[in-house]
Amino acid sequence: MDSQIHKIHQQLVNKEITCTALVQDKLKSLKQNTNNTVNALLDNLALNLAAKVDAKIAQGESIGLLEGIPFGIKDVYMVQGTLTTASSELLKNYKSAYTATAIQKLLDAGAIPLVKENCDSFGHGSSSENTIFGAVKNAINPDLVGGGSSGGSAVNVAKDYTVFSIGGDTGGSVRQPAGYNNVYGLKPTYGRISRYGLMAYASSTDCVGPIAKSIEDIRIVLNVMSGKDQKDQTTYASAEIAQDAISDAKDIKTVGYFKNFIENDAIDAQIKSDFLSAIEKIKAQGIQVKALDFFESNTLVSTYYTLAMAETASNLSRLDGTNYGNRIEAENLKETYAVTRSENFSEETKRRIVGGNQVLSQGFSDEIYLKGLNLRDQISENFENDFKEVDIIISPVTPNIPPKIGDSLKDPLAMYLSDAYTVGFSLGQLPTLTVPQGTATGLQITAAKNNDELVLKFANFLKDTI
Ligand code: GLN
């Protein structure tokens, strides 16, 4: 698919459409949608901004590329004055006091926010069923899950309800729903985009990630959101990625894949054979393909969940009904905290808080948490060595096709294992893109840290290759 952003920009400039009509049309589709993608519509804000864009065009002023382009926001981002619920009972009535840096940059560029999107509560999940707003339904088959945790965002893009959406990816939450709904979803290098104003899940892997229908739209949105931010000390300055810099992939000579991702019993037979035939097509283009060794999926999933649970238990400790959240008064302060948290957090979130506090507690932290950190270092080292040998690593996004709605809730462990292919790249803080090609749930393209440009370049190459 070609760039929607360029197309709409031209239509606006040529006065073939008005921004108001475009926004009205998208708001109507969002309102009528039966996939449960919407937590809150930002209709007044969107229509006001659209009127301003139309006035500018009518006066003959020029407009920027993102000006008037409607987009969606996962409901874990602060947007001043709007409800930011994280799809939780606890924050059902919480209004943001400020705007996230990444979102502010899009607003400054003139993009129009339409909707706060349904997701797994606090990013906890792989199916967008852990939400008070009802399970998100898959865009291709509504009996299946939309994927998670940024399920509403991926489905909105797939259904053309938004031109692009901003998800959040801690262990796969942009890439996996993008794969489940056949769209593009990027987890940039950790630190490339500021996390300020993204509700913290696991701070050491949280990334802001765009979801769109074309590589070009991902590139445009990535460029706008990137950059150093004083409010997030993990951010770094990055060069803009030019359109022509990613059009030719001649300098990509070697591609690797992890043998054990493919040669194991957990992968669906069709995904496996589709992946292997994608590899053949890449080879046929003269690229050398290497099979690489990597950690077992179980090790990756356990390491990720150990660290992610520890970090989320710590991050969510501030949600006790004092400064944030629906406070439930009880007999004394301690009881008030306990009742507020136990009544307002979901089962899945409580499982993670209990697990996280356990791994951080005295007597356990050396055995579990520190071991997790140590494994993470080994995983990063493994990646560093791999990228001395190959330019790109390619992998399936998920071992299986999306489950039916209801199944993941019955079996959380199976849900955690569905993250087997995404979490390793999060621990390594590497740039990874889901492309809607190759297997039923797409392919992931990964490069070394800070090499987001190479990822987009290879995506362009794959688009024409398989
Ligand atoms: N499914 C993973 C988890 O539940 C990833 C979620 C995310 O990236 N926010 O932790």
Side-chain angles (χ1 to χ4, degrees):
M1 158 102 45
D2 293 333
S3 163
Q4 297 288 296
I5 295 176
H6 283 290
K7 186 174 139 207
I8 295 171
H9 177 70
Q10 273 318 315
Q11 288 172 330
L12 288 170
V13 169
N14 298 343
K15 299 188 179 154
E16 290 161 31
I17 56 168
T18 67
C19 189
T20 302
L22 172 70
V23 165
Q24 274 168 343
D25 184 51
K26 300 274 183 210
L27 286 171
K28 190 170 153 209
S29 314
L30 283 163
K31 219 173 271 175
Q32 291 174 348
N33 99 82
T34 53
N35 290 64
N36 276 337
T37 61
V38 176
N39 287 3
L41 281 181
L42 308 177
D43 27 12
N44 287 338
L45 176 63
L47 288 167
N48 281 339
L49 292 171
K52 285 187 187 147
V53 175
D54 284 332
K56 242 175 128 174
I57 296 170
Q59 281 158 20
E61 284 179 49
S62 65
I63 57 163
L65 190 54
L66 272 189
E67 229 167 318
I69 306 293
F71 74 106
I73 305 170
K74 182 180 182 180
D75 201 11
V76 288
Y77 285 95
M78 303 300 155
V79 181
Q80 195 172 31
T82 70
L83 287 168
T84 302
T85 71
S87 296
S88 70
E89 197 63 44
L90 192 77
L91 297 177
K92 199 159 76 178
N93 303 311
Y94 177 72
K95 277 198 175 155
S96 311
Y98 65 98
T99 300
T101 300
I103 304 300
Q104 190 60 53
K105 287 184 170 198
L106 294 168
L107 299 179
D108 292 346
I112 298 191
L114 294 181
V115 52
K116 300 297 281 292
E117 297 167 317
N118 199 358
C119 56
D120 283 303
S121 194
F122 299 105
H124 297 159
S126 316
S127 64
S128 291
E129 294 171 288
N130 174 24
T131 157
I132 60 163
F133 296 100
V136 175
K137 297 179 182 171
N138 190 283
I140 303 154
N141 176 351
D143 294 334
L144 308 181
V145 302
S149 61
S150 315
S153 310
V155 171
N156 279 339
V157 170
K159 290 276 197 180
D160 291 317
Y161 301 154
T162 58
V163 176
F164 66 89
S165 284
I166 305 304
D169 190 312
T170 303
S173 279
V174 160
R175 290 162 285 152
Q176 188 255 39
Y180 278 5
N181 296 285
N182 289 344
V183 291
Y184 289 91
L186 174 69
K187 183 196 94 63
T189 301
Y190 178 81
R192 190 180 181 100
I193 302 177
S194 169
R195 287 175 290 119
Y196 179 70
L198 161 62
M199 223 180 272
Y201 166 10
S203 313
S204 74
T205 63
D206 285 347
C207 289
V208 176
I211 300 173
K213 278 197 163 170
S214 68
I215 301 160
E216 174 60 2
D217 289 352
I218 294 279
R219 183 192 73 85
I220 294 167
V221 176
L222 173 68
N223 277 339
V224 169
M225 292 193 295
S226 298
K228 192 160 176 54
D229 180 11
Q230 283 183 349
K231 293 174 182 147
D232 174 357
Q233 296 305 316
T234 61
T235 50
Y236 64 94
S238 51
E240 216 177 91
I241 300 174
Q243 190 173 6
D244 55 5
I246 58 165
S247 58
D248 183 344
K250 272 202 202 81
D251 50 344
I252 297 173
K253 307 261 189 266
T254 36
V255 168
Y257 73 93
F258 296 131
K259 261 190 314 235
N260 61 312
F261 277 9
I262 308 307
E263 289 159 15
N264 79 41
D265 298 338
I267 189 169
D268 172 87
Q270 190 65 45
I271 292 187
K272 177 175 174 171
S273 70
D274 289 346
F275 180 80
L276 291 172
S277 58
I279 291 286
E280 288 310 314
K281 287 179 192 156
I282 293 168
K283 276 189 197 158
Q285 296 293 315
I287 289 182
Q288 198 195 344
V289 176
K290 284 189 182 170
L292 303 167
D293 292 321
F294 198 42
F295 290 82
E296 290 303 325
S297 300
N298 283 347
T299 310
L300 295 171
V301 170
S302 321
T303 305
Y304 167 77
Y305 275 100
T306 300
L307 299 178
M309 286 188 187
E311 291 189 35
T312 205
S314 168
N315 277 323
L316 295 185
S317 62
R318 75 191 71 153
L319 300 183
D320 58 12
T322 306
N323 291 314
Y324 313 100
N326 295 327
R327 183 181 176 99
I328 302 174
E329 290 293 343
E331 268 167 36
N332 54 44
L333 187 60
K334 212 170 152 195
E335 278 297 302
T336 298
Y337 290 157
V339 176
T340 297
R341 287 166 65 83
S342 61
E343 292 296 313
N344 282 320
F345 280 131
S346 68
E347 285 305 305
E348 184 58 39
T349 293
K350 282 188 272 192
R351 189 160 27 246
R352 291 170 187 227
I353 292 173
V354 170
N357 283 328
Q358 171 85 0
V359 308
L360 289 173
S361 60
Q362 202 176 10
F364 289 95
S365 63
D366 287 6
E367 254 315 292
I368 314 176
Y369 182 67
L370 296 185
K371 199 167 161 193
L373 286 181
N374 181 283
L375 271 163
R376 181 183 191 163
D377 287 345
Q378 292 179 39
I379 290 165
S380 299
E381 210 175 296
N382 198 308
F383 282 131
E384 268 167 42
N385 291 331
D386 287 340
F387 285 115
K388 286 180 193 145
E389 282 186 47
V390 300
D391 302 312
I392 288 285
I393 291 174
I394 185 167
S395 48
V397 180
T398 58
N400 289 290
I401 58 167
K404 285 215 176 70
I405 288 181
D407 286 358
S408 302
L409 295 177
K410 284 183 231 144
D411 190 352
L413 189 60
M415 181 181 83
Y416 299 161
L417 285 168
S418 76
D419 297 333
Y421 303 157
T422 52
V423 293
F425 303 122
S426 296
L427 292 170
Q429 304 187 324
L430 305 177
T432 306
L433 173 75
T434 287
V435 299
Q437 283 178 287
T439 81
T441 61
L443 293 172
Q444 269 182 120
I445 303 170
T446 306
K449 251 187 196 172
N450 304 344
N451 231 337
D452 305 56
E453 179 170 307
L454 201 67
V455 167
L456 297 184
K457 198 184 264 198
F458 193 68
N460 265 327
F461 163 82
L462 270 195
K463 187 162 63 84
D464 304 326
T465 306
I466 52 175

